Amino acid sequence: MTSTSSAAESIHRSLSEISVVEDHYYWENPRRFSGYAKRLQLVLNQLLRPSSLENIPPSLQTAVKGIAGDLNKANEALSVYRTRGKIFVLINCLSLCASLQEHTVAIGGWLALLDCSLPDIPDLRKKVADLSRDMKQAQYKVTEIEERVHKTLQKEGQGLPSGKAVQSAIIMDLARALGIESNNHTELAGHVKRLKEDLACSSSVVERRILLSLERILDHWSLEPEILTLNLDLDFEGDAQISPFKDFLCPLTKEVMKQPVVLESSQTYERSAIDYWFERCIEDGRDPTCPVTGQVLKSLELKPNIGLAGAIEEWIARNVEIQIKLAVQRLSDDLTSPDCVEQVLDSIYKISQEHPSSRYKVRNAGLVVLVVKVLKKGSKSIGSNLRSKALLALLSMSRDEESKKIMLEEGVTRSAVHSLIGSSEEEREHAVKLLLEFSQDEAYCANIAFEKGALVLLSTMAGNPEHPTLSNLAEKALKQMEKVKDNVEHLAAAGRFEPLLDWLLEGSDDVKIEMASLVGRMTMTNSSKEQIARRSARVLVELLSKPEGRAPSLQALYNLSLLDDNTTILVDAAVLPALTDVLFENRDASLEEKTLAASIIAKIVSKPGHWELASADRKGNSIQSEPIVFSLLGLLSLSPPQCQASILLILFGLASSPQASESVASHIISGEGLKIIIAFLEHTEVEHRTYAFQLTRVLSERFSEFLYHELKSSIKLHLFKDKLLNDQSTEGERSDAACILANLALSDDDVKTVLGTSFVEWTIASLKDQCSGTGGRIPRPASTMMEGLLGILLHFTRTLEPQIVCVIKEHRLMNIFHEVVIFNSEPRVKELATLGLKNLSAFDRVLAIQDLEPQPPRGLCSLVFMCGGATSRVPNKCPVHNFPCEEDSQFCLLKGNCIKSLVDLLSDQHMNVQVAAVEALSTLFLGTSNGFKRAAEEIEHLGAVDAAIKLFIEARPGELQEKVIWMVEKMLRVESINQRYALDQALVRALVEALKRGNAATKRLAQEALTNLKQISGVSARPSSQTQARN
């Protein structure tokens, strides 16, 4: 009973909401349901009186409850019609219609059940039966316009873009469905705003997209149509400008029609616009309609509106003439404001773009020339925006060939190139497009290529990933210009070598020769040289066999050989046999060609590399082989001066190679090349002398004896001293002369006669000058001159001449050597300075043995000795030498504080420096057993013992091991040192290895050291008296 009452109350509540005046509903479907609801209310009011609810049968109760449920759901759908905006209803019209249909039929069924349960009241039963029949037979439908708009809106909900024509048609259909005029923007905006309110809480993506699309479409639709002056935004005086008739405008685009067509609805549209709308209708699954009338079209036939088209064409022609005339007036006036110039440029562009047939009128009126003049004005006169507009107008006009010729005559390419570096991307883009347009014609490509900086700017732009649009346009323009052979040189200068390489690899012989000549005279980056060498080396080598291609190819190969990394590429291309053929065999080759061939070989052999193993002639001989070296020496004697310098440079490169130097030097000596080379040491040309000195220096490092005898026999020993003393000589010659003198095996007599005592002072003074650049410290890196000066001083440290001893003391030579050891990082310089310390220390041992204090001779050192003798005191005995050494002795490593520095050199990275340091420290262990014991004990606290033993443990068999084991064996004779290292297994293993693998002397020393350490059974570690006496 209670549930039936609740159902009855629900029915009465729903009916009171539904049964309003039918006109309250805008839509047909809710009005129809409202009619059913009124009839239902009359029936149920009579049936469901409060007094009758107590005794109704169960079937009647079920029917009442069913009616209440479906009526409530139908009311929910009707509330959408009542409370939501019309556009929201259109979006959901199909689902709303289906809901009303479903619940109306359901209520009709419940009424049929109610009819069967009613008491015998004929009038009431008839009303229920009729209502039940009508509701079960009810058919709710949406109108065609509602369905079309629904489908269109659902398509917009997909988020796909739509064109202007479709947007206009959508607005017309929507306005028609809403019952308003399509031009009533205010009311349309109100409906869209209401939709936004309806969707405030919506989570539907489709509905959100529909709202955004409608807002965007409405914004575009609200813009005023540009119907004046063909969209040319200029202000005109009087009524000269003819405005278009309304019929000239397409209802969809709101623009003057170009191809007006008529539909079966008699409406006229722009062909492209209505075609677009038809496509959209088909995509939406709806019948195509006429946008203006909404009429469904049976045929999509588009008939040209010839009469209207003629009228529009006449109107266009008249207005274009007016536009052109006024544009000429404005651009001819220098006082025209920039804003006005901008408007004129826009009008010219629109005329050219929208009416190509009128381009000749623009050209004949002189506007092309005037626009070019605008573009030519400096950046201070016009901004980037105006230059961009001018470029755009010219770009459009360049489709007219005659206009293009005029532009070229007026120098537009230069202005376009200037705009490639414009401040705005738009200006740069229009400039590139204009150049691209000109590049389509091969005849015009040269104009662009010849413009200064054009190809460089385009190449830079083409390789810029930050602006892909500009990059692609620039690349297209460059590709067009690459097709023209005359542009190859300009493109190569801009860093684009592909065209040059393509012509060089695939062109005819004449073209290949032309391209080779271009490679020979071009200035290139290192990466460009490598790129060209990799692609073209073999072709260039092949051209050497052709007389007309020999000179260009040689020049190209020489240019490429200037990059050291190209050496391997050229050698792999078999360039050496071809070059030696030109140099030695080809009698037709000119002097210039032979010189170029020699220069290329010189560049190839200037550094060690693949050439050392490659064939250098047709017989398979290497470049360092005897036949080729002999040929070079022969050519050196006979060739003109231009070629001699390059040959000397070749020999220098060969002799400097670690792999080839030994054999090359031997070939030079066996081929009596020393005489030939020495002759060039006094050549009148600086270049020849420089290369000759370099070559002689390298030869002196390996064959100083041969060179010494050759120089002595030719009375040329003095040449190097004279060169050093000659300030007019080049720095390179003097440095090499110093090194040659240092390397020569001079006798003591030569040191006295050739060099002389005075030269010692000069050498020391020069060495001090080398140090003075950094406040007394040796500059880094040390020059070749420093190596030579140190080497010369080594000659003097090997002699016992009293005068030289005097000079050494006077100039404190040990201190100089010591500073070089400390402050210089060059391995060879440190090695020479260390050997100087060694010689001085060894000489001190001789002084100790002789117990000699030289008397001051007359002349040079008299004053030094007199002064020293007058004030000197007797120094204490030196712990190392066991006789008095002066505190500032220039012959004692201990007094000179050199031992710690020498110990540090034992850990140097270069073995030659380590060997020299070992030799210098070894001089402390010369003499009697007691002497070296004192020396070992004295230097132990300086770390010398630990450093020497560590070096021995790490040394491999060879010179270093042989030198250091001598010193280690002496150290191990000292009791304290012996005891400390007796259990050092690393030292024992190293000594055992030396005993197994060393030479005879090393084995003997290793055995004695092991004996001292008591590592050999049955032998005392204490040295015997015979051993002491022997050492």
Side-chain angles (χ1 to χ4, degrees), residues 488-515:
V488 168
E489 182 173 0
H490 299 287
L491 288 164
R496 293 182 71 91
F497 297 100
E498 286 302 319
L500 182 150
L501 291 170
D502 291 341
W503 287 106
L504 183 57
L505 296 176
E506 301 172 8
S508 63
D509 286 348
D510 291 341
V511 172
K512 288 180 179 179
I513 291 171
E514 183 181 352
M515 295 299 111

Side-chain angles (χ1 to χ4, degrees), residues 62-83:
T62 301
V64 170
K65 293 177 183 178
I67 292 172
D70 281 300
L71 190 61
N72 185 55
K73 292 180 181 178
N75 189 32
E76 291 178 0
L78 290 170
S79 69
V80 174
Y81 288 105
R82 292 195 303 270
T83 62

